[in-house]
Amino acid sequence: MKDLQKKLKDINKEYNYFNVICDDLQEQYKNANKKGKLYGMPISIKDCVCVKDVETRGGSKILEGYKPTFNATVVQRLIDQGAIILGKTSQDEFGFGSFSTHTYNIPKNPFDKTRSCGGSSGGSAGITRKLSDLKIKHVSIAESTGGSIACPAAFCGVYGYTPTYGLFSRYGLLDYGNSLDKIGIMADNLKDIKTVFEVVKGYDEKDSTSLNLEKTPLNKDDSIKKVAIIKETLNVDPEIKEAIIKTVKAKFGSYDEISLPIVEKYATPCYYIIAVSEASTNLAKYCGLRYGAAEELKGTFDEYFTKVRTKYFEPESKRRIMLGTFTRMAGYRDAFYLKAAKVRTMIINEYKKAFQKYDLIISPTMPIVAPKFSDIEKLTPLQNYMMDIMTVGPNLAGLPHLSCNAGYSKKEKLPIGIMYIANHLNDYKLMNDKLK
Ligand code: GLN
């Protein structure tokens, strides 16, 4: 464990995968539950998931110094089964982004340091790839609101699993958008994902949106008989299209092509309206009085609050507060937030119809391979948001999905991700060996 700690520090100097590396790995190992299902398994945790007594900032300057006095339910379940918590992985501030660039500690892609790891769980994906290359066993706990597990998993060439909404407790997660947030798992193999899945899933009375699996059980049938690729999503770089079709043919032999026109046209605007609306209320509690960063107490509450938030929030967070406050405002609520909620139902229904016929619905995970930081800088906010076109659909609908590697681009040798989407509570289909 001492060696591992040193290795993590060395990797971090070069790649910024951790905001915090725990300094008690040896002690954790000594005290770990030897009979646990995860005894000795090193696990990194995305910074937005609370770990007791370990600084937890969600990638934000505003939470500097905040150490939770409790473990998130997911973390507690891992520790109870003997896992070793390595530290907190770097991410976009509060999950706002697709490239992990909206933060003070930007992770670099393990394949090319001038490129992004993806986001917002960039650190989790980067360290998963890096430790896998070094043949060190490791799993990462990440989080997705609109694609933050699938996207970085694709850009770093690892498996990224996002569960059915409500299957993993959100207790102890720093909220981004409560109706969308899901804790999930990254690893370099499906078997470890399944082992961790069995440990963390299931009802938690501390989370009112947690699913009671006795009332709404998981479908244990993991068989995959019929699959379909979403036609519109093949309208990408020919190299990505080719990799997806080749992978699907190799794994399933035959497939259908289907159209999901409502998802295609409305998922991105619908997602961003709902996500920013929920985010803007969730951020209200960060005002420099209760948690983390503070300034000298001077002036009225509004003056103080404004000073702290101006100084410590990233520009992207400020943008989302403005947008979200607008979409929820009296007079605009009907036109934006409530309309988006209705469109969300239409999107769910469109998927549900497709699942009457298919076990899995497939698309590329991202329309591009990992971009260069210098190119990301040139993107407008809207172009940034459009990058999530493939991943926001299943996230809006609360559907479980898995991003896997589907090969590498020819020129830059960067990983290409393929995304499998299953129906609600059909998470076991995503752990079928066929997807290995
Ligand atoms: N890129 C999306 C966003 O910025 C998704 C982020 C996430 O899943 N946390 O909202």
Side-chain angles (χ1 to χ4, degrees):
M1 283 292 154
K2 271 206 185 108
D3 282 359
L4 179 58
Q5 200 160 341
K6 180 167 180 314
K7 202 151 265 165
L8 296 180
K9 283 192 177 150
D10 288 344
I11 295 173
N12 216 35
K13 269 190 211 134
E14 237 179 295
Y15 290 94
N16 303 338
Y17 294 147
F18 285 97
N19 289 343
V20 180
I21 297 173
C22 295
D23 54 14
D24 62 344
L25 303 191
Q26 188 72 19
E27 213 175 308
Q28 285 188 49
Y29 189 62
K30 226 171 59 203
N31 298 331
N33 171 10
K34 293 191 176 50
K35 295 201 184 98
K37 294 190 185 103
L38 298 172
Y39 174 58
M41 169 71 98
I43 299 192
S44 61
I45 311 280
K46 185 174 177 179
D47 199 16
C48 59
V49 180
C50 287
V51 177
K52 186 168 182 255
D53 297 330
V54 179
E55 191 183 52
T56 292
R57 298 169 63 167
S60 179
K61 288 199 230 76
I62 211 163
L63 280 178
E64 187 180 350
Y66 170 61
K67 289 188 180 168
T69 52
F70 62 96
N71 279 321
T73 298
V74 161
V75 172
Q76 191 58 50
R77 288 181 182 175
L78 296 171
I79 293 173
D80 289 346
Q81 292 299 327
I84 313 297
I85 306 300
L86 299 183
K88 311 300 302 293
T89 57
S90 47
Q91 60 163 98
D92 281 298
E93 181 174 41
F94 297 118
F96 305 152
S98 309
F99 303 116
S100 296
T101 48
H102 301 303
T103 184
Y104 59 90
N105 186 28
I106 301 173
K108 297 175 192 161
N109 193 293
F111 289 84
D112 174 352
K113 279 192 277 182
T114 68
R115 291 176 186 268
S116 162
C117 278
S120 62
S121 314
S124 281
I127 192 65
T128 302
R129 175 78 266 154
K130 215 57 209 171
L131 291 182
S132 171
D133 290 346
L134 295 170
K135 309 253 174 315
I136 296 172
K137 237 181 141 44
H138 158 262
V139 168
S140 195
I141 295 297
E143 174 276 344
S144 170
T145 308
S148 279
I149 297 175
C151 160
F155 284 175
C156 295
V158 298
Y159 292 88
Y161 158 71
T162 309
T164 299
Y165 178 82
L167 194 54
F168 288 13
S169 166
R170 287 188 297 114
Y171 178 73
L173 170 69
L174 308 183
D175 297 310
Y176 166 174
N178 314 43
S179 77
L180 294 156
D181 297 343
K182 294 146 308 266
I183 291 180
I185 311 165
M186 279 185 201
D188 69 351
N189 68 90
L190 262 183
K191 198 167 154 256
D192 285 347
I193 288 191
K194 194 166 175 187
T195 310
V196 172
F197 167 83
E198 295 295 353
V199 167
V200 300
K201 74 176 195 311
Y203 183 66
D204 176 15
E205 60 177 15
K206 292 184 189 138
D207 171 5
S208 61
T209 57
S210 168
L211 288 174
N212 185 339
L213 295 178
E214 273 160 31
K215 289 191 191 131
T216 45
L218 279 163
N219 182 5
K220 293 268 160 66
D221 176 10
D222 72 349
S223 64
I224 302 168
K225 292 174 211 95
K226 260 185 113 146
V227 304
I229 302 182
I230 310 171
K231 197 158 68 192
E232 298 86 2
T233 64
L234 291 178
N235 204 358
V236 282
D237 187 317
E239 207 171 39
I240 296 181
K241 176 178 173 178
E242 199 185 302
I244 302 304
I245 294 180
K246 201 169 142 202
T247 306
V248 172
K249 274 190 183 152
K251 289 191 187 303
F252 308 104
S254 67
Y255 66 91
D256 287 352
E257 281 193 5
I258 53 160
S259 240
L260 299 178
I262 302 175
V263 175
E264 158 76 6
K265 197 157 171 207
Y266 299 114
T268 311
C270 175
Y271 166 78
Y272 272 97
I273 289 173
I274 292 175
V276 297
S277 302
E278 294 184 16
S280 65
T281 65
N282 280 324
L283 292 185
K285 59 182 169 287
Y286 305 122
C287 60
L289 287 176
R290 285 193 256 178
Y291 320 94
E295 290 285 296
E296 194 193 343
L297 264 182
K298 257 194 355 218
T300 64
F301 174 69
D302 279 351
E303 281 160 4
Y304 178 76
F305 185 104
T306 307
K307 189 160 85 186
V308 170
R309 289 158 71 88
T310 305
K311 182 164 169 192
Y312 293 101
F313 276 143
E314 293 285 323
E316 184 58 28
S317 301
K318 291 175 186 160
R319 180 176 297 116
R320 293 190 186 212
I321 292 170
M322 302 282 284
L323 285 171
T325 306
F326 177 77
T327 52
R328 288 184 293 107
M329 242 159 77
Y332 295 106
R333 191 182 305 135
D334 287 3
F336 293 103
Y337 183 67
L338 294 180
K339 189 175 262 170
K342 285 181 193 152
V343 174
R344 185 179 194 176
T345 306
M346 290 165 69
I347 288 172
I348 295 172
N349 291 340
E350 190 166 66
Y351 278 115
K352 284 289 192 194
K353 212 167 137 213
F355 283 121
Q356 287 172 2
K357 207 162 158 203
Y358 301 103
D359 296 302
L360 294 180
I361 296 174
I362 303 170
S363 73
T365 308
M366 295 299 287
I368 54 169
V369 290
K372 282 197 159 60
F373 292 118
S374 53
D375 288 333
I376 295 169
E377 276 169 21
K378 292 181 205 137
L379 295 175
T380 64
L382 212 57
Q383 285 170 328
N384 254 287
Y385 298 166
M386 286 309 288
M387 290 293 167
D388 300 332
I389 187 149
M390 319 279 184
T391 57
V392 286
N395 278 281
L396 262 178
L399 294 165
H401 50 286
L402 177 80
S403 180
C404 306
N405 182 259
Y408 296 82
S409 65
K410 288 191 191 86
K411 210 168 89 218
E412 310 100 329
K413 306 263 177 299
L414 294 168
I416 295 172
I418 182 168
M419 185 169 67
Y420 303 103
I421 310 168
N423 202 352
H424 293 127
L425 295 164
N426 278 262
D427 298 56
Y428 280 115
K429 292 202 193 291
L430 300 175
M431 290 167 211
N432 186 310
D433 279 348
K434 258 195 189 165
L435 306 188
K436 269 204 295 208

